[in-house]
Amino acid sequence: MTARRLPAALLLAAVPVAVATAAAVLKAGNWSLFVDRHRIELTPKARRSCSRCHGDGGWWVGGAFPEMEACGCWSDRREFRIRLLPVAPFPDEPPF
C-alpha cells in the first residue's frame, strides 16, 4: 500500500467502528438521533427501567381535562442540536 492510500484505508476501516460505537452509546444512554441536512439532533428518551413511568414517559393527571405530566427520567435532560445549513424562510406571498 502506498503512502498516499494509507490514510484513506485507515479512515475506511475506522468508520464502521465509529458507527457501531455511536449506536451502542445512543442505545445505552436512551437517546434518539435525528440527522438531516439542516441539523443533527440528540433528544432524550424515557428509560424503560424507570420505576415511576415504566418507560411511558409520564402519566395522566387532572380531572375533566387531564394533562400529561412528564417524568423526570427524560424531561430533565437537555436536548442537543447542531445546526448545519440554514432553513430557507417560507415566503409570505407568492412571487407572482
Side-chain angles (χ1 to χ4, degrees):
M1 188 171 291
T2 64
R4 276 195 251 165
R5 294 189 185 199
L6 183 62
L10 290 175
L11 180 64
L12 287 175
V15 168
V17 173
V19 169
T21 304
V25 168
L26 287 173
K27 189 173 182 179
N30 292 316
W31 290 93
S32 175
L33 175 68
F34 178 79
V35 178
D36 67 359
R37 64 185 213 184
H38 299 291
R39 67 187 173 278
I40 299 172
E41 187 174 283
L42 282 170
T43 54
K45 294 190 312 184
R47 289 192 327 248
R48 285 187 246 163
S49 62
C50 180
S51 60
R52 294 186 298 172
C53 71
H54 306 288
D56 292 333
W59 49 88
W60 292 98
V61 295
F65 302 104
E67 293 182 357
M68 176 105 175
E69 184 174 332
C71 183
C73 71
W74 69 272
S75 66
D76 294 340
R77 292 169 36 193
R78 290 186 57 192
E79 156 180 308
F80 300 103
R81 182 177 297 154
I82 300 171
R83 285 200 261 172
L84 301 175
L85 292 175
V87 177
F90 190 76
D92 292 337
E93 296 182 8
F96 49 86

